[in-house]
Amino acid sequence: MTDLPTIERPLRIGTRASPLAMAQAHMTVAALMATHGIVSEALEIVPMTATGDRIQDRALAEVGGKELWTRELDAALDAGVIDIAVHSLKDVETLRDARFALGAMLERADPRDRLVVREGMEATSVADLPYGARLGTSSPRRAAQIQRIRPDVAPVLLRGNVATRLAKLAAGEADATLLAAAGLDRLGMHAVGTPQDAAVLLPAASQGAIGIECRADDGDTLTLLLAIDHAPTHRAVATERAFLAALGGDCRSPVAAHAHWRDDGMLQLDAEIFSEDGADHAAGHALIDHDDAAAALARRLLDDAPETVRRLFAA
């Protein structure tokens, strides 16, 4: 238990209002209570509906990108309506406003994707899907990866929270979908879907990671957050985000990046970049043994990639 700054009112924890986001906010509450001995009455969850949650019929890349997940929380944090904001880091822009500080990441959960298929279909991997199957996703990464592995499988737009996507799958809007294992587990859906080998479907950067921000000038709150930070997760995810920053990609750019700790204690970054249809790609890995290692891998992949891939990145 740490020495606490004086708390004169409840610490207000901003979050999206979706069931998964609320579960992650409660995980943050539990971490603060366990680490600091804060009583629950001193913590208040403030749910908000993000613009991205309101748009269900289009891919977010067409209408504003990842900032549609953070816009409302950023405004509330900047205005002092909330003291901290809890994010699924996969949905947070790579370059953030200097007014905000990423004070903590909770320990990362399973970063893999899970394949979920409609009732009556038997498939435990992408390779098992029947010829011409429709795979629902709004992720350029997943669409490109699937088309690279199975060019016959047709990606169709499938948006919404986990329950909405599963309902659309049950209604026949797609034959299969891919969902983040971490999100399913946090919702208690441990038996839903089949985990996919990360060597086949390399995860998105930051997948499975929860980030907690506060105002950069709020030293007391930043002190609280630093004490619940999981340093190995923070370093790995920061490496993935540094790779994205060096690529210069946006939410339309199909890219996968996963940093993991090896048995020898070294941090390894695996990464892939794709053309929109997955036909072309460049892949590689690097040991993160110096500050520029992630950016160097990004430059190497861009140098190796065909023009169909390079044009999707601004670096």
Side-chain angles (χ1 to χ4, degrees):
M1 190 178 302
T2 62
D3 294 329
L4 292 175
T6 301
I7 300 177
E8 298 178 351
R9 54 165 174 72
L11 189 74
R12 297 159 302 181
I13 301 169
T15 177
R16 287 166 52 199
S18 72
L20 176 56
M22 289 293 289
Q24 294 175 166
H26 283 288
M27 291 172 63
T28 302
V29 166
L32 288 167
M33 292 174 63
T35 301
H36 298 294
I38 303 175
V39 297
S40 60
E41 291 78 10
L43 301 167
E44 177 187 356
I45 293 178
V46 181
M48 301 179 183
T49 300
T51 304
D53 290 314
R54 299 188 187 102
I55 300 171
Q56 299 292 317
D57 60 343
R58 287 161 289 170
L60 293 188
E62 300 175 6
V63 289
K66 289 186 175 183
E67 67 182 32
L68 298 183
W69 297 124
T70 57
R71 179 184 296 164
E72 286 78 8
L73 289 171
D74 284 356
L77 191 57
D78 187 46
V81 174
I82 58 176
D83 302 299
I84 67 175
V86 181
H87 299 287
S88 291
L89 271 177
K90 182 165 67 86
D91 297 330
V92 175
E93 312 95 290
T94 304
L95 301 178
R96 293 289 285 147
D97 194 304
R99 292 172 297 170
F100 310 126
L102 183 58
M105 296 186 201
L106 301 185
E107 183 173 4
R108 191 180 212 163
D110 187 346
R112 294 175 296 175
D113 289 326
R114 284 195 200 152
L115 179 70
V116 186
V117 299
R118 62 171 171 75
E119 186 175 357
M121 179 178 288
E122 294 186 6
T124 59
S125 71
V126 173
D128 295 336
L129 291 172
Y131 186 87
R134 298 164 302 148
L135 188 131
T137 184
S138 61
S139 162
R141 169 189 65 92
R142 288 171 173 150
Q145 287 175 323
I146 292 302
Q147 289 177 96
R148 180 165 184 80
I149 299 167
R150 289 285 307 274
D152 62 289
V153 171
V156 296
L157 181 65
L158 197 70
R159 286 217 49 243
N161 62 33
V162 171
T164 299
R165 288 189 231 181
L166 291 176
K168 290 180 177 180
L169 187 65
E173 294 189 25
D175 299 308
T177 190
L178 290 164
L179 297 172
L184 290 169
D185 287 343
R186 287 168 184 156
L187 290 169
M189 299 180 180
H190 304 285
V192 173
T194 306
Q196 301 300 289
D197 187 346
V200 177
L201 287 179
L202 191 66
S206 305
Q207 187 154 308
I210 297 171
I212 310 166
E213 288 186 324
C214 67
R215 290 181 294 279
D217 61 0
D218 185 353
D220 285 348
T221 301
L222 187 56
T223 296
L224 293 176
L225 296 184
L226 290 172
I228 66 170
D229 184 50
H230 187 256
T233 293
H234 204 137
R235 187 177 172 206
V237 173
T239 294
E240 296 163 9
R241 293 172 70 81
F243 172 80
L244 293 185
L247 281 177
D250 59 25
C251 56
R252 299 177 183 83
S253 307
V255 54
H258 179 55
H260 56 95
W261 293 96
R262 306 191 326 178
D263 291 341
D264 62 5
M266 294 294 294
L267 182 63
Q268 177 173 315
L269 174 63
D270 302 326
E272 292 180 303
I273 53 178
F274 300 85
S275 59
E276 290 173 305
D277 62 2
D280 297 322
H281 90 311
H285 67 271
L287 293 181
I288 306 304
D289 53 4
H290 58 89
D291 291 344
D292 192 49
L297 177 60
R299 292 190 294 268
R300 174 157 59 89
L301 293 193
L302 287 172
D303 287 344
D304 292 343
E307 175 58 25
T308 52
V309 175
R310 283 199 306 272
R311 66 181 176 81
L312 302 177
F313 299 89

